[in-house]
């Protein structure tokens, strides 16, 4: 029956008199019922007895004898005194017990709370219970969901057995006098603070009893399967501070470091890690933690050192990691992470330099090309599935262009330089020719000879044994072959350029990962053995092989600026020199960047350079093949026989490119040498003029048609006048010895000038120039002999000569008499009208 919330003031025992025995529920709460809890009646069927908020007093009786099947008992807010005895705790089927708001003081020795196996709600709050909470309460863990011991007189410590209650239990212990020097059991503090937990512990928000970081670390321990750890000293100790746990470092009670490297962690990383607001160092590398990295890690704003490498983390790194603005080290390589890793844009490598930010952004990836390596633009080091690493920072010039584009830019710069060199050469040649015209006017024969000498010198520089020499000849097929060869050389070099491109995410590149970010060190190490000595030897090798070709190409450009050459010849010089220089520079460039990408030792550096240098020999191999197939055509195109004849005549032989491109060729195309000859010409003219005056003086004195100077022993033609001076443009030099018996000729820029190709060619040119003059062999006069020839004799014409005009003479040594039969040198003057 239900008589609750009335003003009944009778004694409880009176109310039970004459009540039906089959009553199941009695509710007398909210009245003024007094007396003790006694009755003479037996109620075997009562399951719920509620007499709360009345004025009952006395001690708790043995209710089991009067209410054997009682399930719910509510005696709250009364004045019951004494202790909780065994008569109450023997109700094996009791589920609800509410004795709050009374004056109970203790637990009787006969009270065995563990007998209440079906109890799920126990409210003993607002009493005077104490001093120790019975540990038997922990045995009610299977059913008990509400335990309220608040506002009592409990002291000492909270029993850890309470922590064995279900995770959804509600525990209230506030309002007691627990010793604050002891922490609440970790197991109790964890109630309601574990992930997916709906329980509640009213002291969990009080740091003096339940530090929140200890609860977070406990969850971290449980999620990472702490029972399987290699070392877990003091972890989950109910009363010890978390600062004493293995691998945990605190500062003023706050967790600042967790260092559990290679400690057998597995399971997953708990999201409660985000509760460690002051954490600066988290190192759980070299373990076996799986699943994803929790997004709560982005809450650790003070984190500076985060090392998650060599685990089994999967899927993407949460974007919340960008919130970590103080990171100095982030290493997440050696996992199965995919997607994009975005770090705070303001991060700068500091203490750890290249080792600062490391992920699996290298190739090949554990996942192949789908989805491929991690995309991490902020990382300083990228590793691949073989645990090989390489710094991700590019060379300074690669920040705006890749190797391929920079190669074309380099070629453009080389061509621009060669064009500038051509312009400078042309300008200097113009200035020199302008100054020399005031001294002497060059004959067309000299210019032709000089141009021919340049062409032969160019062939020597380019190399007879190379298809590059085809550029110096006017043959379309030869040019086609040379251009195709150059194109093939560039084409062969292009794969080396592409393979050397700096793209750590592309498995097709040849880049060799030389760094190692191992498990035991925070800093990565470069295992490459390249030294500056290796690069120095590489530079020497490349200079030795390529330097000649670059210099010879530049010389061709200089020759292309000379005005003495025709336009077509200058174009051939320029094209040949430009292509030779460009190919040489491009080979140097390709070899350098390819070695930067793949060379790990000094020997590899040299080995790789030699392989690429074989490409430079392709032009010679092509030439040799064509020469073997059609030697006559090669001879006709390159005029090789003419060069051989020059070689047989005593000049130095012209060999192939690899052997006969002398660094210092002494052909007569040195303009500075010609300048010296021009100065000697002035002195020669002066001496000859004085000699003519002397001879004319002798003629007038003796009245003879010719007179012999006793001082010089020279026979002078009577028709020579002082005005008949020798032209500077025809005579280059004359050397007369002190006895007057030897005349040596130097022919300069006249048609009869000496060939710059050598002495043999010089003699041939001299002999072929002009007409051999008749000589008076009948005279027995000693010394140099001067014979006068008329214009008709010179030209071979029978016509009468014109009136005598001022003449110029060419000084020739036409004596064919052997040295042992002649007393002096014979000099003939051929008089030509201007």
């Amino acid at each position: 029956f239900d008589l609750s919330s009335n003003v009944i003031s009778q004694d409880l025992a009176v109310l039970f008199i004459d009540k039906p025995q089959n009553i199941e529920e009695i509710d007398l709460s909210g009245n003024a019922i007094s007396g003790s809890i006694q009755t003479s009646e037996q109620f075997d069927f009562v399951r719920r007895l509620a007499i709360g908020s009345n004025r009952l007093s006395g001690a708790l009786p043995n209710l089991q004898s009067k209410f054997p099947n009682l399930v719910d008992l509510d005696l709250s807010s009364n004045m019951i005194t004494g202790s909780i005895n065994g008569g109450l705790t023997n109700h094996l089927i009791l589920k609800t017990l509410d004795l709050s708001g009374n004056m109970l003081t203790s637990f009787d020795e006969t009270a065995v709370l563990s007998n209440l196996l079906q109890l799920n709600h126990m409210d003993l709050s607002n009493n005077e219970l104490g001093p120790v909470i019975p540990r038997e309460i922990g045995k009610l863990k299977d059913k008990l969901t509400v335990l309220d011991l608040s506002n009592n007189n409990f002291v000492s410590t909270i029993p850890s057995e309470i922590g064995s209650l279900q995770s959804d239990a509600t525990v209230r212990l506030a309002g007691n006098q627990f010793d604050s020097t002891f922490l609440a059991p970790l197991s109790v503090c964890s109630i309601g603070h574990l992930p997916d937990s709906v329980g509640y512990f009213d002291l969990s928000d009080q740091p003096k009893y339940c530090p929140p970081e200890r609860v977070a670390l406990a969850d971290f321990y449980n999620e990472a399967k702490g029972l399987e750890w290699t070392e877990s000293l003091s972890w989950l100790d109910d009363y010890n501070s978390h600062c004493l746990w293995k691998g945990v470092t605190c500062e003023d009670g706050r967790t600042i470091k967790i260092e559990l490297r290679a400690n057998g962690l597995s399971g997953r990383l708990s999201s409660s890690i985000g509760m460690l607001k002051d954490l600066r160092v988290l190192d759980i590398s070299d373990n076996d933690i799986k699943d994803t990295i929790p997004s709560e890690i982005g809450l650790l704003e003070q984190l500076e050192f985060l090392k998650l490498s060599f685990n089994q983390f999967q899927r993407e790194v949460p974007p919340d990691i960008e919130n970590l603005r103080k990171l100095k080290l982030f290493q997440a390589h050696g996992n199965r992470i995919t997607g994009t890793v975005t770090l705070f844009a303001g991060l700068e490598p500091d203490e750890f330099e290249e080792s600062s930010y490391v992920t699996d952004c290298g190739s090949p990836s554990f996942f192949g090309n789908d989805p491929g390596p991690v995309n991490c633009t902020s990382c300083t080091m990228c590793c691949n599935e073989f645990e090989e690493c390489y710094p991700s920072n590019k060379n300074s010039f690669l920040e705006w262009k890749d190797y391929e584009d920079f190669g074309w830019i380099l070629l453009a710069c080389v061509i621009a330089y060669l064009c500038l060199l051509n312009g400078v050469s042309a300008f200097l040649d113009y200035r020199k020719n302008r100054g020399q015209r005031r001294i002497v006017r060059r004959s067309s024969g000299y210019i032709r000879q000089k141009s021919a000498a340049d062409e032969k010198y160019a062939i020597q520089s380019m190399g007879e044994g190379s298809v590059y020499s085809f550029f110096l000849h006017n043959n379309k097929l030869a040019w086609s072959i040379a251009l195709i060869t150059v194109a093939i050389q560039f084409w062969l070099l292009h794969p080396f350029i592409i393979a050397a491109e700096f793209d750590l995410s592309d498995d097709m590149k040849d880049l060799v990962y030389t760094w190692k970010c191992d498990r035991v060190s925070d800093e990565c190490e470069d295992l490459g053995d390249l030294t500056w000595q290796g690069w120095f030897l590489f530079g020497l090798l490349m200079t030795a092989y390529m330097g000649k070709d670059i210099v010879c190409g530049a010389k061709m450009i200089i020759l292309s600026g000379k005005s003495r050459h025709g336009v077509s010849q200058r174009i051939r010089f320029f094209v040949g020199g430009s292509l030779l220089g460009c190919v040489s520079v491009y080979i140097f460039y390709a070899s350098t960047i390819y070695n930067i990408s793949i060379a790990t030792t000094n020997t590899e550096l040299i080995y790789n350079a030699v392989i690429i240098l074989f490409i430079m020999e392709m032009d010679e191999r092509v030439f040799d093949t064509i020469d073997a197939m059609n030697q006559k055509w090669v001879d006709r195109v390159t005029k090789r026989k003419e060069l051989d004849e020059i070689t047989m005549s005593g000049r130095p032989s012209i060999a192939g490119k690899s052997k006969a491109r002398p660094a210092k060729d002494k052909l007569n195309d040195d303009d500075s040498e010609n300048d010296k000859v021009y100065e000697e010409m002035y002195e020669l003219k002066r001496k000859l003029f004085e000699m003519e005056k002397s001879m004319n003086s002798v003629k007038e004195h003796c009245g003879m048609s010719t007179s012999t100077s006793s001082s010089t022993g020279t026979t002078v033609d009577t028709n020579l006048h002082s005005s008949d001076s020798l032209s500077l443009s025809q005579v280059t030099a004359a050397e007369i010895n002190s006895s007057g018996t030897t005349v040596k000729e130097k022919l300069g820029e006249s048609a009869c000038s000496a060939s710059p190709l050598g002495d043999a060619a010089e003699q041939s040119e001299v002999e072929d120039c002009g007409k051999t003059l008749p000589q008076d062999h009948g005279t027995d006069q000693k010394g140099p002999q001067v014979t006068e020839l008329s214009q008709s004799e010179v030209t071979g014409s029978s016509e009468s000569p014109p009136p005598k005009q001022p003449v110029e003479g060419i000084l020739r040594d036409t004596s064919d008499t052997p040295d042992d039969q002649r007393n002096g040198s014979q000099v003939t003057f051929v008089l030509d009208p201007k």
Side-chain angles (χ1 to χ4, degrees):
F1 60 94
D2 185 359
L3 297 175
S4 61
S5 301
N6 289 289
V7 291
I8 301 173
S9 59
Q10 292 179 315
D11 191 275
L12 180 60
V14 175
L15 292 175
F16 284 134
I17 297 174
D18 297 329
K19 296 299 185 289
Q21 299 296 313
N22 59 351
I23 296 175
E24 295 183 359
E25 181 176 341
I26 299 175
D27 188 354
L28 300 174
S29 59
N31 287 283
I33 300 172
S34 60
S36 60
I37 307 174
Q38 298 291 336
T39 180
S40 59
E41 304 294 332
Q42 183 78 21
F43 296 95
D44 294 334
F45 299 97
V46 174
R47 300 180 62 83
R48 179 175 182 269
L49 177 60
I51 319 177
S53 299
N54 282 280
R55 298 176 181 178
L56 298 177
S57 60
L60 289 173
N62 185 1
L63 296 178
Q64 183 183 14
S65 60
K66 300 298 181 178
F67 302 94
N69 294 310
L70 190 63
V71 174
D72 298 323
L73 176 60
D74 181 5
L75 299 177
S76 62
S77 300
N78 284 283
M79 295 180 288
I80 302 173
T81 59
S83 60
I84 299 175
N85 52 47
L88 178 62
T89 59
N90 290 331
H91 281 71
L92 303 181
I93 61 174
L94 190 64
K95 293 183 177 181
T96 302
L97 175 62
D98 188 352
L99 300 178
S100 62
N102 286 282
M103 294 183 287
L104 298 171
T105 57
S106 63
F107 292 90
D108 192 83
E109 294 180 355
T110 61
V112 182
L113 295 177
S114 58
N115 291 336
L116 302 175
L117 297 178
Q118 300 299 318
L119 191 66
N120 57 38
H121 185 107
M122 178 187 290
D123 188 353
L124 304 179
S125 63
N126 296 295
N127 283 280
E128 298 177 2
L129 295 172
V132 178
I133 298 176
R135 295 183 177 273
E136 292 84 355
I137 295 178
K139 297 181 179 180
L140 306 179
K141 59 183 180 180
D142 295 332
K143 297 292 184 178
L144 190 62
T145 58
V146 176
L147 174 63
D148 191 347
L149 301 178
S150 61
N151 298 313
N152 281 282
N153 294 324
F154 293 114
V155 295
S156 187
T157 60
I158 301 172
S160 59
E161 286 78 3
I162 296 179
S164 62
L165 298 179
Q166 297 183 34
S167 60
D168 59 349
T170 298
V171 179
R172 293 183 175 90
L173 300 178
N176 288 282
Q177 304 299 320
F178 297 113
D179 189 349
S180 59
T181 59
F182 293 93
L183 297 174
L186 175 61
S187 56
V188 179
C189 293
S190 300
I191 296 175
H193 283 77
L194 299 178
D196 303 325
S197 174
V198 296
Y200 174 75
F201 176 49
D202 60 353
L203 296 180
S204 62
D205 58 348
Q206 298 187 28
K208 66 178 181 179
Y209 295 116
C210 295
E213 293 183 350
R214 187 175 62 148
V215 178
L217 289 172
D219 184 52
F220 169 83
Y221 176 89
N222 292 325
E223 292 290 333
K225 298 183 179 180
L227 295 176
E228 300 175 1
W229 291 6
T230 304
E231 293 184 60
S232 59
L233 182 65
S234 299
W235 274 80
L236 298 192
D237 187 283
D238 266 334
Y239 296 101
N240 282 344
S241 170
H242 62 283
C243 298
L244 301 177
W245 296 354
K246 169 70 176 181
V248 178
T249 303
C250 294
E251 184 178 273
D252 297 331
R254 297 170 299 174
T255 304
I256 61 172
K257 290 184 181 181
I258 299 178
E259 298 171 300
L260 295 171
R261 175 186 300 172
N263 198 45
L265 280 67
S266 58
R268 59 187 296 270
L269 180 59
S270 173
S271 60
S272 61
I273 196 71
M275 298 174 63
L276 306 177
K277 302 297 183 180
D278 296 300
L279 191 64
R280 301 174 193 169
V281 176
L282 176 59
D283 183 0
I284 52 174
S285 61
D286 196 14
N287 286 290
D288 193 32
I289 303 176
K290 301 178 178 64
D291 210 344
T292 60
I293 300 174
S295 60
E296 287 78 5
I297 204 167
L299 301 175
L300 306 177
E301 297 181 355
Q302 302 301 320
L303 197 62
E304 299 177 355
F305 186 105
L306 177 58
K307 193 166 183 180
L308 308 176
S309 55
F310 299 110
N311 279 284
Q312 298 294 325
F313 287 111
Q314 302 171 5
R315 296 188 286 278
E316 296 186 5
V317 174
D320 306 77
I321 202 169
E322 189 175 1
N323 298 330
L324 306 180
R325 303 188 176 190
K326 294 185 178 182
L327 272 183
K328 296 181 180 179
L329 183 140
F330 171 70
Q331 295 183 356
H333 57 288
N335 287 284
R336 300 187 179 185
I337 296 172
T338 59
T340 301
V341 176
T342 305
L343 301 177
F344 178 61
L347 295 178
E348 292 291 339
D350 185 13
E351 177 182 353
F352 299 97
E353 298 181 348
E354 295 92 346
S355 309
S356 298
Y357 312 115
V358 187
T359 61
D360 293 323
C361 49
S363 61
S365 168
F366 179 84
F367 299 97
N369 294 326
D370 186 17
V374 172
N375 180 20
C376 181
T377 57
S378 302
C379 290
T380 58
M381 185 78 68
C382 288
C383 300
N384 57 25
E385 65 172 319
F386 304 117
E387 299 182 8
E388 301 168 338
C389 305
Y390 200 85
S392 61
N393 56 309
K394 295 183 178 180
N395 295 330
S396 57
F397 65 87
L398 288 180
E399 294 295 334
W400 55 283
K401 290 293 182 183
D402 54 23
Y403 281 134
E404 184 179 11
D405 292 339
F406 190 81
W408 297 121
I409 294 175
L410 178 63
L411 288 180
C413 293
V414 171
I415 293 175
Y417 168 75
L418 294 178
C419 291
L420 178 63
L421 184 63
N422 173 265
V424 172
S425 176
F427 176 73
L428 295 178
D429 184 71
Y430 170 76
R431 290 190 60 183
K432 180 176 291 186
N433 291 340
R434 184 179 179 183
Q436 290 174 351
R437 287 192 188 101
R438 301 172 182 173
I439 302 175
V440 59
R441 179 178 298 173
R442 295 180 178 180
S443 67
S444 60
Y446 171 80
I447 294 176
R448 286 194 301 271
Q449 287 182 339
K450 194 69 172 175
S451 178
D454 287 345
E455 183 174 3
K456 292 170 184 177
Y457 172 68
I459 294 175
Q460 282 187 309
S461 298
M462 299 289 281
E464 276 194 305
S466 169
V467 294
Y468 283 96
S469 63
F470 289 169
F471 288 119
L472 304 178
H473 305 287
N474 190 17
N475 186 288
K476 294 182 179 179
L477 178 59
W479 267 65
S480 300
I481 293 174
L483 289 174
I484 292 173
T485 303
V486 171
I488 292 176
Q489 284 183 306
F490 277 106
W491 179 71
L492 290 176
L493 290 172
H494 189 257
F496 290 96
I497 303 292
I498 297 300
E501 289 288 1
F502 190 86
D503 187 356
L504 298 177
S505 62
D506 189 354
D507 191 27
M508 301 302 294
K509 306 304 181 186
D510 291 349
L511 179 67
V512 177
Y513 289 64
T514 59
W515 287 68
K516 185 76 171 179
C517 300
D518 56 32
R519 301 169 183 262
V520 298
S521 175
D522 297 332
E523 296 187 8
C524 303
E525 180 183 5
D526 186 5
L527 302 180
D529 293 331
L530 273 177
T531 63
W532 68 268
Q533 292 94 336
W535 284 109
F536 179 74
L537 293 176
F538 168 79
L540 289 180
L541 177 66
M542 297 302 295
T543 302
Y545 274 86
M546 312 305 304
K548 292 182 179 179
D549 294 327
I550 295 175
V551 172
C552 288
K555 288 184 176 181
M556 295 302 100
I557 300 300
I558 294 175
L559 289 178
S560 69
K562 303 296 183 182
S563 60
R564 58 176 171 263
H565 304 302
V567 174
S568 61
Q569 190 176 30
R570 294 173 71 178
I571 293 175
R572 290 196 295 270
F573 283 162
F574 184 81
V575 173
S578 297
L579 291 177
L580 179 61
C582 287
V583 171
S584 301
V585 171
Y586 203 64
I587 289 177
F588 202 115
Y589 170 71
S591 183
T592 301
I593 64 172
Y594 192 69
N595 272 302
I596 291 175
S597 298
I598 72 168
T600 59
T601 63
N602 293 337
T603 54
E604 285 185 10
L605 188 68
I606 305 302
Y607 177 78
N608 296 332
V610 170
I611 292 177
I612 297 180
L613 283 174
F614 274 115
I615 297 176
M616 191 60 190
E617 302 298 323
M618 181 180 175
D619 55 324
E620 296 180 1
R621 304 288 78 81
V622 172
F623 183 90
D624 292 341
T625 301
I626 297 174
D627 192 29
M629 295 174 60
N630 195 340
Q631 184 176 0
K632 292 182 179 179
W633 180 83
V634 174
D635 291 341
R636 184 173 68 255
V637 170
T638 61
K639 301 177 183 180
R640 184 163 49 186
K641 288 186 177 181
E642 297 179 9
L643 295 176
D644 291 341
E645 290 175 1
I646 295 175
T647 302
M648 295 299 295
S649 66
R651 295 295 294 169
S653 62
I654 302 175
K657 179 178 67 175
S658 60
K659 295 181 180 180
R661 283 190 194 159
K664 296 180 179 179
D665 197 284
K666 299 215 184 235
L667 294 171
N668 290 332
D669 61 338
D670 193 342
D671 291 337
S672 61
E673 182 67 24
N674 287 336
D675 293 339
K676 297 179 181 179
V677 174
Y678 297 149
E679 294 176 1
E680 294 177 1
M681 289 162 57
Y682 273 113
E683 182 67 18
L684 174 62
K685 181 178 178 180
R686 186 185 63 78
K687 291 182 179 180
L688 289 176
F689 181 74
E690 293 177 356
M691 185 174 63
E692 288 180 65
K693 289 176 64 178
S694 299
M695 289 188 293
N696 289 334
S697 177
V698 170
K699 179 190 72 172
E700 294 175 357
H701 179 72
C702 299
M704 300 172 61
S705 60
T706 61
S707 61
T708 303
S709 172
S710 61
S711 63
T712 62
T714 303
T715 302
V716 183
D717 188 3
T718 59
N719 292 324
L720 276 175
H721 298 285
S722 62
S723 62
D724 301 333
S725 59
L726 297 177
S727 172
L728 181 61
S729 64
Q730 293 175 314
V731 179
T732 62
E735 295 177 6
I736 303 175
N737 63 9
S738 59
S739 64
T741 60
T742 302
V743 177
K744 182 179 179 181
E745 175 194 12
K746 289 186 180 180
L747 297 178
E749 294 187 3
S750 68
C752 301
S753 61
S755 170
L757 292 178
D759 298 335
E762 208 173 82
Q763 180 67 24
S764 174
E765 293 288 346
V766 171
E767 291 176 355
D768 291 342
C769 180
K771 178 179 179 181
T772 305
L773 303 178
Q775 304 180 23
D776 185 3
H777 296 287
T779 181
D780 56 357
Q781 209 168 11
K782 296 181 180 181
Q785 196 172 39
V786 179
T787 304
E788 177 182 358
L789 298 180
S790 66
Q791 178 70 20
S792 61
E793 290 174 325
V794 174
T795 61
S797 173
S798 61
E799 299 179 1
S800 60
K804 191 171 183 179
Q805 302 291 334
V807 295
E808 295 180 355
I810 297 177
L811 189 63
R812 294 182 178 278
D813 183 3
T814 59
S815 174
D816 293 331
T817 307
D819 294 339
D820 57 351
Q821 298 179 13
R822 137 181 106 167
N823 296 325
S825 298
Q826 186 175 11
V827 179
T828 302
F829 288 88
V830 178
L831 306 179
D832 296 325
K834 287 186 178 179

